Amino acid sequence: METNMTSREELIAPQPTNSSKKRNILIAVLLAVFLFAGSAYGYFVHDLFKSPKQIYLEAEGKHLSQLVKTWGESYDWYYKEYVKPYLENPVRSTVEISAGIKGLELPDPNLWILLDILEKSKIIAESFVDEKNQQYYTKFDVALEGNKLIGFETFVDKTKFGFGVPLIYNKYAVVDLKDRDKLKEKFGVTALPKKILTYNDVLDAFRIPKEEREALFEDYAKLYVDSLKKTQVTMQKGTFPEGNMKINTRILTISFTEAEIADLMKKMADKMAEDEKLLNLVYTKQKSIIKLMDDAGYDLAALGIKEKEKSEIKGMLQEFSKNIHDGLKDLKLADGVKMVLYIDGKDNILEREVTFGNANDKTVIKTARWVDASKQENGLFVVSGGEQGKSGELKAAYTKKPIDSKTKKGTFSFSLKDDKEDFSLLLESDFSEVKDGAKQDDEVKFTVTAKDQEGTGKFSGELKTNMAVNEKDKNREMDSTLKLTFDVPSEGIQGANLNVTVKQKDEFGAEVKLPKLEAGNTVDVVNISEEEMFKLQQELMAAVQQFVEKNMALFQPYMQ
C-alpha cells in the first residue's frame, strides 16, 4: 500500500534549498581556489613540487642573468666615462710623472748618481686625440731640474704621419701614406697601410650583435639542460658555510661521472662541428675584419692573411671537434666532477664549489659572494689541489661596506701557496672610497710578504688617488701618489722607499694642435734626394753637438 508518510530519518535531515546548494558550491569553489593557490605558492615559493634539477636550472639561469647585467652595466659605465668622450670629441691629455728612491745602500757611486738624477727628473707627456677627424698628436719630454733635456713628438693627420725631436733639430720627418708605393720601391717598406685605422673601425669590425650572441648561447645551454638527468641533481637543507652569519640554504649537488662528462663534451663538440649559426658568425666576422684591413691598404699576402671560404671554416670547426673527441680518450676523472651550490630563499647562488680529479690528485674551485646583515658585500675565490705533499692554493677575498652615503670601506687579500716549491705570497690591503658629487678620493694601504727557501721579503705601500670632474669646463683631473717601503734582509735592503707621483688632466672638446708643417720645417722622407739627405745628415750631427754643449752644465755636477 502506498503512503505519503516519510521515514524518521527523512524528517530529521534538513532538505537542501536553492540557497544552501549555492552556498555549498561556493564553499567548494573557494576550497578549490585555496588549494590551487596554496599549491601554486608552494610550487613557486617553497619549491614543494619542483625537482632538484628544476631548482638548480632556475637558480643557474638567474645567476647568469645577473652576471650579464652586471657585466653590461660595468661596460656601459666604462664606455661612457673612458671611451665615448674620446670618440665624440677631441681630447687633450697631459701627464706628469716624477719618482724618487731613498734608503738604499748602494756600493757603486754611479748608482747613487742615477738615483739623484731620477729624483730631480720629471716625465711630461701631452697628447691630442680627435677620432672623428683622424688627428693624433703626442709629445713626450724628460726634464731635469726644470729644464727639458730631450723629447720627441709624433703626429697623424689622416694619411700623413711624422715625428720630430724639436729640442735637438727643428725639422719634422713626414711620410704620406699616399706615397706607399714609392716607399716600397725606395726603402723596401711593405707594411705601411693606405690609412690609419680608428678605434671605431676596429670596434665595428669585431662587434657581435647581442641577438646573435644570445641565440648562439641558448643552443648550447639547451644542450646542457637536455643532457642533465634528474638523478644527477640532489638537494638537502643546510647552512651557508662562509662568513659569521647564519643563512639557511638549499644545498644542491650536481654530479657527473667520467662517462657523463665525456658524453656531454662529445655532444658539445658535435654540435660545434655542425653549428650553422657559429659557422656564419665566424665567416662573416672574418670577412669584415679582412675587408677592413684590405680597404686600409694592408698587404694581406705579406702578413700571411687569406680569406677562407665557408667550407674551409667548417672544416676547421670539424677538426677542432675531432681534437676534443681525441683528447677525451685520455680523460682521467675517476671520481668524476661534483658541483655543490648553496642557494638562498630567493634563488641566489651564494657559493659554488667544483671538485674534479681522483682520490690522490683533486682540484677544487670555489667562488662565493654574499651580503651580510650589516650590508657588507663579501667575495671569495679559491683554487686548490695537487698531489699530497705537492699541493698548492690560490685565494682571493674582498669585502666592501657602506659607511655613509658618500663613503665605502673594504679589504682585499690575495695569497698563493706552493708546497712543492716551498713558496708563499700574501697580499693584504685596506681601501676606502669617498665620492662627493663630481669628486672621488680613493686610498689603498697594502702589505705584500713573499717567502721561499732563501728567506722572507716584504714591502708595504700606500696609493692615494684624487679625481675631480668639471662638467662646466669639460675636464677631468686626477692626482695619484704611490709610496712603497721595501724590506728584503737577504739582499741587504731594509726600509728603502720609492715614491711615485702622477698628475693627469683630460680636457674634452679642446682644439687639436698639430705642428704647422711648412717647407722650411719638414723633411719629406719619401721624396728626399740624395743631395738633400747628405745635407740633412750634416745638419743632424751639428744639432746633436750643439745640444750636448748647451746642456753640459746640467750634467756637470753628476760627472765629478
Side-chain angles (χ1 to χ4, degrees):
M1 179 178 67
E2 293 183 4
T3 177
N4 292 328
M5 294 181 66
T6 59
S7 67
R8 186 174 180 274
E9 287 80 4
E10 288 177 310
L11 287 172
I12 295 173
Q15 300 299 306
T17 63
N18 288 336
S19 61
S20 64
K21 286 181 179 178
K22 291 179 180 178
R23 185 171 62 251
N24 291 339
I25 293 171
L26 179 62
I27 291 172
V29 170
L30 289 174
L31 182 61
V33 170
F34 176 77
L35 289 172
F36 174 79
S39 300
Y41 181 79
Y43 180 83
F44 289 108
V45 179
H46 292 300
D47 304 322
L48 294 179
F49 303 110
K50 293 182 183 179
S51 69
K53 178 182 174 180
Q54 281 180 289
I55 296 171
Y56 160 60
L57 293 176
E58 288 177 11
E60 196 74 272
K62 180 179 180 180
H63 181 70
L64 183 62
S65 297
Q66 290 173 335
L67 279 180
V68 171
K69 182 182 177 182
T70 301
W71 291 341
E73 289 174 348
S74 298
Y75 174 78
D76 290 343
W77 173 83
Y78 178 79
Y79 184 85
K80 178 184 175 183
E81 295 293 327
Y82 294 99
V83 177
K84 187 178 179 181
Y86 289 85
L87 299 180
E88 295 184 347
N89 304 288
V91 180
R92 175 179 181 258
S93 298
T94 54
V95 179
E96 291 188 6
I97 304 173
S98 56
I101 299 177
K102 293 182 178 180
L104 281 179
E105 296 293 333
L106 300 174
D108 189 344
N110 292 322
L111 294 177
W112 279 106
I113 293 173
L114 287 175
L115 292 182
D116 195 21
I117 292 175
L118 175 65
E119 189 170 357
K120 295 177 180 178
S121 300
K122 183 182 293 186
I123 296 173
I124 305 167
E126 178 184 26
S127 68
F128 287 93
V129 175
D130 186 348
E131 285 283 347
K132 283 186 177 180
N133 295 308
Q134 296 183 352
Q135 292 182 319
Y136 313 91
Y137 170 80
T138 300
K139 184 180 181 182
F140 184 87
D141 292 305
V142 177
L144 177 62
E145 296 183 349
N147 298 286
K148 291 183 180 180
L149 289 179
I150 193 169
F152 63 87
E153 299 178 30
T154 63
F155 60 88
V156 176
D157 187 3
K158 297 181 176 64
T159 63
K160 289 183 178 180
F161 70 92
F163 66 92
V165 187
L167 290 175
I168 296 178
Y169 189 56
N170 60 359
K171 291 184 180 181
Y172 295 93
V174 180
V175 174
D176 195 328
L177 294 178
K178 294 177 181 178
D179 295 328
R180 58 198 297 269
D181 291 335
K182 291 183 180 179
L183 271 170
K184 183 177 180 180
E185 180 182 345
K186 191 170 185 176
F187 300 106
V189 179
T190 59
L192 285 175
K194 294 177 184 175
K195 67 174 185 178
I196 304 298
L197 294 177
T198 67
Y199 180 86
N200 267 336
D201 293 333
V202 178
L203 197 64
D204 289 340
F206 280 90
R207 182 181 285 117
I208 301 174
K210 179 182 177 183
E211 297 76 16
E212 291 185 38
R213 297 197 308 267
E214 290 180 347
L216 193 64
F217 174 79
E218 284 173 3
D219 290 343
Y220 290 88
K222 186 176 184 302
L223 193 155
Y224 171 70
V225 170
D226 293 342
S227 299
L228 189 66
K229 298 187 288 287
K230 287 185 177 181
T231 54
Q232 290 179 252
V233 187
T234 60
M235 183 175 72
Q236 66 186 73
K237 292 183 178 181
T239 305
F240 182 56
E242 311 294 343
N244 54 8
M245 64 178 292
K246 182 179 179 181
I247 303 177
N248 293 324
T249 61
R250 291 158 294 172
I251 306 173
L252 288 168
T253 302
I254 301 91
S255 302
F256 295 86
T257 64
E258 183 179 293
E260 287 169 337
I261 278 290
D263 183 60
L264 177 60
M265 294 301 295
K266 287 175 183 177
K267 287 179 179 178
M268 291 283 186
D270 293 340
K271 168 68 178 172
M272 190 182 301
E274 303 299 328
D275 193 339
E276 289 296 320
K277 291 178 184 176
L278 178 61
L279 174 62
N280 290 331
L281 177 63
V282 175
Y283 178 68
T284 54
K285 286 293 102 182
Q286 174 223 213
K287 282 183 70 71
S288 63
I289 293 167
I290 289 179
K291 184 179 185 303
L292 174 68
M293 297 180 68
D294 190 42
D295 290 345
Y298 286 92
D299 190 338
L300 299 180
L303 294 172
I305 298 174
K306 180 184 177 183
E307 183 177 324
K308 296 185 181 299
E309 297 295 331
K310 187 176 286 190
S311 59
E312 293 181 271
I313 296 176
K314 187 177 182 68
M316 292 170 63
L317 292 175
Q318 291 174 336
E319 181 65 23
F320 183 68
S321 173
K322 181 179 179 299
N323 290 338
I324 293 176
H325 276 269
D326 293 340
L328 289 171
K329 294 176 182 178
D330 299 322
L331 185 66
K332 302 293 182 184
L333 294 172
D335 293 341
V337 176
K338 184 174 71 173
M339 179 165 63
V340 179
L341 304 180
Y342 290 82
I343 302 175
D344 68 9
K346 296 181 179 179
D347 288 342
N348 296 309
I349 297 177
L350 303 180
E351 179 172 300
R352 182 192 307 269
E353 183 178 283
V354 180
T355 305
F356 57 89
N358 54 61
N360 298 320
D361 188 0
K362 283 190 177 182
T363 298
V364 180
I365 302 173
K366 179 193 291 186
T367 61
R369 183 176 181 273
W370 71 99
V371 178
D372 61 25
S374 66
K375 295 184 178 181
Q376 175 174 286
E377 182 181 329
N378 304 269
L380 179 66
F381 175 75
V382 182
V383 178
S384 60
E387 299 177 17
Q388 191 170 5
K390 300 179 181 179
S391 62
E393 180 185 78
L394 181 151
K395 181 178 180 180
Y398 79 91
T399 66
K400 182 186 283 188
K401 181 179 180 179
I403 304 302
D404 52 43
S405 60
K406 299 177 182 179
T407 307
K408 292 181 180 179
K409 291 187 176 183
T411 63
F412 175 78
S413 64
F414 175 86
S415 62
L416 182 63
K417 184 177 68 172
D418 187 338
D419 292 337
K420 182 179 179 180
E421 300 295 332
D422 192 19
F423 171 80
S424 65
L425 176 72
L426 174 64
L427 180 151
E428 297 176 297
S429 68
D430 299 298
F431 65 86
S432 67
E433 52 185 59
V434 181
K435 191 167 185 178
D436 186 3
K439 295 182 178 180
Q440 180 169 331
D441 299 330
D442 297 326
E443 182 176 355
V444 181
K445 294 181 179 180
F446 58 90
T447 301
V448 177
T449 305
K451 182 180 180 181
D452 60 14
Q453 297 175 352
E454 300 296 324
T456 301
K458 181 179 180 180
F459 72 87
S460 58
E462 180 180 84
L463 174 63
K464 291 183 178 180
T465 302
N466 309 108
M467 185 177 70
V469 178
N470 189 321
E471 297 289 350
K472 182 181 178 181
D473 295 335
K474 296 182 179 180
N475 65 53
R476 176 174 56 212
E477 294 187 62
M478 184 168 66
D479 294 343
S480 301
T481 303
L482 174 65
K483 297 180 179 180
L484 297 177
T485 301
F486 296 88
D487 291 305
V488 188
S490 61
E491 299 296 328
I493 299 175
Q494 196 76 33
N497 297 300
L498 168 65
N499 297 325
V500 181
T501 301
V502 180
K503 295 179 180 291
Q504 179 176 344
K505 183 175 183 180
D506 298 325
E507 300 172 71
F508 304 101
E511 180 185 356
V512 176
K513 295 181 180 179
L514 299 177
K516 188 175 180 180
L517 302 179
E518 299 173 337
N521 71 343
T522 59
V523 175
D524 188 338
V525 175
V526 177
N527 298 303
I528 189 172
S529 66
E530 290 187 10
E531 183 181 347
E532 289 171 327
M533 178 64 78
F534 178 76
K535 182 181 178 182
L536 174 64
Q537 292 173 346
Q538 298 296 315
E539 290 177 353
L540 280 173
M541 291 175 63
V544 170
Q545 184 176 351
Q546 185 179 1
F547 172 80
V548 172
E549 292 174 354
K550 178 182 177 182
N551 293 282
M552 184 63 72
L554 286 173
F555 291 100
Q556 200 67 41
Y558 306 104
M559 299 175 67
Q560 296 176 355

